[in-house]
Amino acid sequence: TLDVTVRVSGTEVSGLLRTAADGSIIMDLVQKNETVTENSVVVTSGDDQYPAGLVVGTVRFIDDDAGPLFKIVRITPAVSVGVSGDVIVIRP
């Protein structure tokens, strides 16, 4: 499963990036009162094992009717799921 803490770039809106039952990528646990707009960039928050600021995708759709407390934000991934290869991480 995919569980990564993320935020909408340039805001304090945060949530948990997960794989939905249909295989799509969602930003879950976003509070209903938070403002999220389509095409916003979603990045890692740095609150877990991933460093802050890695682009994971863009907001495709906001489902405000997902529940009484939270909305679900559907994400278009920054990288195609079929892409594979090596990654080099350079740290200061």
Side-chain angles (χ1 to χ4, degrees):
T1 64
L2 177 67
D3 286 326
V4 180
T5 56
V6 294
R7 65 179 175 78
V8 176
S9 185
T11 73
E12 296 297 318
V13 177
S14 63
L16 190 61
L17 193 74
R18 294 186 173 172
T19 305
D22 64 1
S24 64
I25 306 296
I26 62 170
M27 184 176 169
D28 200 5
L29 302 177
V30 177
Q31 295 182 14
K32 275 264 204 211
N33 63 340
E34 299 282 8
T35 301
V36 179
T37 57
E38 289 182 12
N39 299 316
S40 295
V41 176
V42 178
V43 298
T44 54
S45 65
D47 295 331
D48 53 20
Q49 70 268 26
Y50 300 99
L54 300 176
V55 175
V56 296
T58 56
V59 175
R60 178 172 46 95
F61 177 77
I62 299 103
D63 183 359
D64 285 319
D65 299 324
L69 300 176
F70 301 103
K71 61 177 93 181
I72 292 176
V73 179
R74 300 212 175 267
I75 305 294
T76 299
V79 178
S80 174
V81 177
V83 171
S84 64
D86 296 328
V87 174
I88 297 174
V89 177
I90 300 173
R91 297 182 72 156

